[in-house]
Every structure is written in C-alpha cells, then in structure tokens.
Amino acid sequence: MKSRRLALASLAILLAFTVIAGVHPLATPAVAQEATKITVKVTDSGLDPETIEVEQGKLVEITFIWDHKAYPNEEHIMVLEGYNVESDKIDAQHKEATIKIVANKPGTFTFKCDLECDLHDFLQNGVLKVKTGSGGGGAALTKTKISIEPAAISIKDGKVTVNASLLDDKDQPIPKGDITFFINQSFAGRSGLVEIGEERTGPVGQARFVYEPTLTGTLKLTAKFEGMGIYDASELAVDIPASRAFQAEFGESVLPASGHSQELVELKDWAPAALISLIALIWAAFIFILYQAWRVSRVGDGGPGGDASA
Amino acid sequence: MNASERQQRLEERVLAPLTGFSQTWFIWTGCLIALSVLGFIAYAYQVRDGLAVTGMGDDVIWGVYISNFVFFSGLSMAGTFISAILRLTGAEWRRPLTRFSELTTVAALSMCALMPAIDMGRPDRLWHLLVYGRLESPLLWDILVIPTYLAASLIYLFLFLIPDSALLRDRTGVRVSGARHRLYSIFGVRWRGLPEQRRRLELGGTIMMLMIIPLGVATHSVVSWIFGLTFRAGWNSTIFAPYFAVGALYSGTAMLITVMFIFRRVYHLEEYLTEKHFQYLAILLAAFGIIYLYFTFAEYLTVTYKLEGGEDLLLGELFFGRYAPLVWFGFFGGQLLPVVIAAIPKTRTIPLLVTVSVLANIGMWIKRFVIVVPSLSLPLMPYAWGVYTPTAAEIFITIASFAGFALLITIFAKLFPIISIWEMTEGWEEEHSAAEVPPAMPPAQLAPQG
C-alpha cells in the first residue's frame, strides 16, 4: 500500500514537471543551448551555399567567410532580413564574421550583402529556410532592456539629447541595436505614438538621440527595440521636459507654455465628439421623417388621426 | 381647361412612357448596360492586379477617379438644393423641375459615392476606414457626410414620390407587371390624399427641405477640405469651401438643363417644360457662373500676387505649361462662354443653352482635374515633376460611371413619372382657387378614382 502511494506521488511529481515543461517547452537560454553552426562562403561567383535550412527554435550561428580570388578589394556586411541582424564587415583582412539568431520565426528569409560592392547583384540571393520544428525544445531569446537614466537626458538650446543604453539580461551592452523613439502625441481627442527618429547603438550599447521638440510641457518619450538575432524586444517610456527652440532663444515671454494654444488643443479635443453628435442628430431626424412616412400608411387604421372619412 | 382636365392630359403624357418599351429605349439602355459592364470588367482587372494598372503612382496619388468624385458631388448639389430652395420660397415655376432635380442628385451622388471606393484599389479598405479611420482626417468626414447626404436625397426623393406612386398604383392596374404594381404599392404607402396624410407628408417634407440645404453645403465644403486642409501648392486656399459649393451649383444647374432638354425631346414634354423654365434656369446658371468666375479671379489673384514657393511653378504649368490647353479651355469654354450665353436674353435660346450647359460640365470636369492632378504632380522636394496619364482601365471606369449615371436616370424614368404630377395638379388647383370665389374644394386630387 505504501509503495503504491509512493508510486502515485512520484507519478504526480512527474506529471507536474511535464506540465511545467509543456507550458515552457524545454526552452533554454540562447547562450546555454548548443548552436547549429553553418558556414557560408562569399565567393567571386556568389554565396556558397545560397540556401540554408534550419529547424525552428534552434540557436543558429551563421559564419560568413570572405573567399574572393579575383576581387581582393571586396568588402561586405551581410544582413539577414526578418531577424534584423547584420554581421561585422568582412574583407581581405577580416575574413570571418558570425551572426547569431534564435530561429523562432518559421518561413523564408533573405540574407545578402548590404554594401554597394562590385559583386552586389550576385550576393542578394541567400535564403534561410526556417522549417517548423518537430515540437522539441527550443532556445529562448535573451531578454533585453533599455535604460535611460535621468542624467542621460540633457537640454540645450531647446534640443533634448537622450542617451539610451541597450543591455542584455546580464547588463552587457548590445551593439548594433536599432532603437526607435516615439512621443505620445494627442490630437483632437485621440492619442498615439508618433515616431520621431531612430538611432543605432554603438560598441558600448548606447544610442544618442537628439530631438528638437515643437511642443511645450512634459512629453512622454518611448524608446523601442524590436529585437535582433538572439535578443528579445524591449521598450521604455520616460518623461522629458520640452520647450520650443525659439522659446529657449527668445525667452518664455514670447509664447507662454500654457497659453491660448492649449485652449485650442482642448477645443480640438471636443471636435470629434461634436461631429459624431451632429451626424447622429441628422440621422435621428431621418428616422423621424421616415416615421412620418410610415404613419402616412397607418392613417385610416384607427390610429391617431386615422379617420379615413376625413 | 380646368384642373382635372389638365391633370388627365398630364397623366396621359407623363404616364405613357412608363408602360411601353420602344426599340430606341432598348438600344439606349443596352448601350448603357454594356458600357457599365465594360467598366465593371475594368474594375475587376484593377482589383486583381492592383492600382498598378492605373496611371497613379507615389507622387500623383489621385487621378480621374477623384476628379470624377468631385465632379459627381458637384452635380448632386444643384438638384436637391434647387428643388428645396424653390419649394421653400414658393416659386411656382419649380413644379415640373423638382423631380428632375431630385433624380439628378440621387444618380450623381450614387456614382460619387462609388469613386473613393474604386480609388482605394481594394474594396476591403473601406472597412479599414471605418475601423481605423481618424476623425481628424477630412477623408473620414467625407465618409460620414456623403452617405448622410445620399440618404437625405433618397428620403427627399421618396417623400415627394409618395403621391405619384399611389397614383400609379391606382391607375396603371393591369398595364404593368405584378412586381411593378407591388413596387408602386410599397412607395405609395397607402396614400389616399387624406388631410392627416397630407399633414404628415408636409411635416416630413418641410424638415427635409430645411435639412437638405445645409447638408448639401456641408458635403461640398467637406469635399473641398480634402484639398484645402492639405499642405499643397494650389490647395492652400481659405475660399475652397464656398468656391466648390458655387462650382457645384453651377455644374449641377447645367446638368439639370441638359437632362431636362433630353427628356423634353424624348418624352415630348414641351407643354410642361416650357421655354420659360429654361430661361429661369439660364438666369440661375448665369448667376452661379458669375459668382464662380469671381471666386476664380479672387483665388488666382491672391496666389499669383504672392507667388509663394511652389505656387509659381504650379501656376506656370497651369497657365503656360502642359496643362495650359485644359485650363484655358475650361476657363473660356466652360465658364466664360456659358455665362455670356446664359446672361444675354437674345442668346438664351434652348439649343444654345443646352450646348453651353454641356460645355459648362465638360469645363467643370476639367476644372476638377486641374485642381487634383497638377498640384500632386508638383514635387515637394527638388525632384522631377510627377507624371500622370489615365490608363485604359481608368478611362473605362470613368465612362462606366457616366453610363451608370445615365442608366439610373433612364431606369427611374421608366418606373416613375419624370414630372411630379401631384405638384403640377396642386399648382393648378391653387391657381383655380385664387381665381374663384368662394374657393374650390380642398385639393384631394390624388384620391383614387373610380
């Protein structure tokens, strides 16, 4: 009996582990999983091989090898579309560059040279096919975060400079990451993110973005990283103080931050509601008129005014 | 001839075309259907291959479809607007014209509403407009106001069609098919000309008359703001809304003259659509034309005087460049000549009036085209001018839209009286009542006979 209980308990624990594993099926950090390594030669006649296949969920390392004979001055930067990743430059001196991805998106993706080299047209046909996996384990994307410290925001001559850092889960900098900046803009009752620029992180994972606001007051700045290779997406919103450039130049007295313009903005906020109300009113009148036409057909049926002998 | 004899004569004349089908009618309708089908095939081709089959590109993003849209919206203005204004002011001469006006409005507005959908390329984008559209955009204002104006015009047409539909229900009998008889019964809403029925119809009609005038003005203002609220040379104008509204009245009046002339000839309505009606409409045409010329002058003077960046290039192209033949023809042939002919009593003859009315509408279509296309062709950056030439698909769809406009009028005129019988009779009875003492019986001319 005791051994039966023990067996049942073991089974329950095993079941619990299976369920947990099922929720997050054998996902392991990208760095912990063994990578599928692929080599692509960049030759005088094109890419070799042109097509590579990997299984979905695998950590993949693609190494591009400069292998020219007749074109010693060729240099290339290889990009893989769909995964937003690009290699370091390869040339006669630096012959190898590796990109890493977690192949989490199934489909066909192009890899190609992104420089205007002599062989440019021959180096546009690389294809990475990510086949839907058998349901086995997969590598997880490395978590990332964007950091903008208060000290990283400075204002001079009406321009706001923001230094955004892109870091991985071990606070290591991520270079070559594209960070897109937005401000939360509201107009006539609606609000949304309006893109105001994009910057790429340098070797220490920092992107410097300069913005010249055309609005006054405190603005909500959102920085977004859409993910790249083995890195997951992340975003951060911070408040930045803003004033018009000409205000900084001529002083606050020219146009106060909260003046008539603010009233106009508030007035515009009412516009959509007013428009919808007006249209609704017109349609209500249509219904009333059609009701009159319907009443015409009921006259004489004993309803109000329904005296057929009139 | 008393009112009842006059009514009988009018009924004979107006109802006769409804029951017979001539060979000419079949040929005319067949041609219109064929042209519409060709346009539909061109549209199917456009849906399959995308807007690449049109002459539009990433610089000139609007072409003949939007020109047609503005043109048809203009045609729609005059009809109901004129009908409502004349009814409200009690102008007696309106009576034979009102149905033409209302019909022209509905037919034009139906074609107008189709054009943005065709211009979008993929029809499912219309749904996106409703779901993702932003109310801040004049494009969405258009999407709201055009169906509203169309609904108003349909209701307006329907209301004043009720007594005539009841008349058809009671008079046509076995001379029409069962389906048509049912149609007349539905549109006749059991109308028997009872005082309570008249009261309710008058109430609904008066509200519609009061509503349709601001709605018409709003529609054409919104159409103008699609351009006027966009940063583009040639569109930066504060007077675009009234400019478009007056242009709409001008082209709509010209179309009314043309449509009336055709029906007068084909249906032999000379007794009812007299020279006097054409004379009055000519005066309206001249008045709207003069105001439109004034707006044109004011618009170009301010722009030409200031010559802001971009405007000088655009004006050069318009007046002396590749659009010059269109612009000058539009001005002289489409505006000046019709105004002169319509304004001088001696030249205000029906054939001349019809000729200049057609010219006025050709000129107004050209005017819409030169408002839309050259401004978009003008590069915003120091690049080459955009080039736009309508393709076969666009031309077929445009022809089909005009054929569709004519087809709607043709089919309506085969189903319903093109002259409002009850309004004509009402006028005669009022005339009779005023002449006799004591006054005649209250009008009950639409009670079923026999």
Side-chain angles (χ1 to χ4, degrees), chain B residues 302-314:
Chain B
T302 49
V303 176
T304 314
Y305 198 87
K306 292 186 288 187
L307 279 187
E308 270 190 297
E311 299 281 4
D312 51 347
L313 286 171
L314 181 68

Side-chain angles (χ1 to χ4, degrees), chain A residues 198-253:
Chain A
E198 186 182 82
E199 290 296 337
R200 177 166 284 194
T201 56
V204 293
Q206 274 209 342
R208 181 171 178 271
F209 175 64
V210 180
Y211 173 53
E212 190 171 351
T214 52
L215 298 164
T216 55
T218 301
L219 302 179
K220 181 74 78 184
L221 177 91
T222 300
K224 280 189 180 182
F225 170 62
E226 289 192 342
M228 170 182 79
I230 59 169
Y231 296 110
D232 204 354
S234 55
E235 69 176 75
L236 176 75
V238 290
D239 288 333
I240 57 167
S243 63
R244 285 192 180 91
F246 71 83
Q247 276 179 269
E249 197 175 330
F250 297 109
E252 287 292 311
S253 60

